[in-house]
Amino acid sequence: MDDRTGTTLHTGLLILTTATIAWLSGLPMLFPSLGPSAFVLALFQDSDATSPRRVIGGHAIGVAAGLLAYHLLATGVSMTSSPPPGSIEGLRLAGSAVLATMLTAGGMLATDTRHPPACATTLIVSLGLLSTVFEGVLIALTVVVLVVAHQLLLATERAGARYEKRLRS
């Protein structure tokens, strides 16, 4: 199988894992930043960029920064419907998004947990889309599930490669 097909399938299997759990549980375990994380994990399988510490840590920082910014500046407001132009609600959401993104970027740089998709996670939280503590914990748990699924896929692929090599010998 060529790399493009393998990366495509790996990405799909990672999202399938969280999609299945979301479907069976009814919990919001599918959110936009998982797609880029799954793709990065599949594309750069064994690099520093995809270490569990960076992926999980980056998203955890994104969640914490998003929760802090949202509850500090925008509690009770959400981007589920557009606020009127020039409104205080819109300003509160914009401020929350800017603060959360800055805190996430700074936090990831300070802790060497750089994972760009975490900036999408912080926007999801800071814009009131998944902004309760329970939802924040659920986001972090979902990222852990994604990383564990990735590690299992890698182990399975390596075991299959070793088996094929033995068959050819």
Side-chain angles (χ1 to χ4, degrees), residues 47-112:
S47 78
D48 272 351
T50 58
S51 74
R53 180 181 176 285
R54 279 199 178 169
V55 177
I56 295 167
H59 282 285
I61 288 169
V63 166
L67 286 172
L68 176 66
Y70 179 76
H71 290 285
L72 186 65
L73 300 174
T75 300
V77 186
S78 175
M79 277 302 289
T80 54
S81 61
S82 296
S87 68
I88 295 298
E89 292 81 12
L91 180 62
R92 290 172 53 208
L93 282 171
S96 177
V98 170
L99 178 60
T101 303
M102 290 173 59
L103 290 172
T104 299
M108 288 191 299
L109 291 170
T111 60
D112 194 28

Side-chain angles (χ1 to χ4, degrees), residues 9-149:
L9 290 173
H10 193 112
T11 302
L13 288 170
L14 291 176
I15 292 298
L16 176 63
T17 303
T18 60
T20 300
I21 296 169
W23 173 59
L24 292 173
S25 68
L27 295 170
M29 295 182 75
L30 273 178
F31 41 88
S33 55
L34 282 182
S37 288
F39 183 64
V40 167
L41 286 166
L43 188 61
F44 306 109
Q45 293 184 355
D46 286 319
S47 78
D48 272 351
T50 58
S51 74
R53 180 181 176 285
R54 279 199 178 169
V55 177
I56 295 167
H59 282 285
I61 288 169
V63 166
L67 286 172
L68 176 66
Y70 179 76
H71 290 285
L72 186 65
L73 300 174
T75 300
V77 186
S78 175
M79 277 302 289
T80 54
S81 61
S82 296
S87 68
I88 295 298
E89 292 81 12
L91 180 62
R92 290 172 53 208
L93 282 171
S96 177
V98 170
L99 178 60
T101 303
M102 290 173 59
L103 290 172
T104 299
M108 288 191 299
L109 291 170
T111 60
D112 194 28
T113 55
R114 296 179 312 278
H115 184 65
C119 287
T121 294
T122 209
L123 289 173
I124 291 164
V125 176
S126 67
L127 293 173
L129 302 174
L130 294 172
S131 58
T132 67
V133 172
F134 173 75
E135 291 166 333
V137 169
L138 193 59
I139 289 170
L141 176 64
T142 303
V143 172
V144 169
V145 167
L146 191 76
V147 169
V148 168

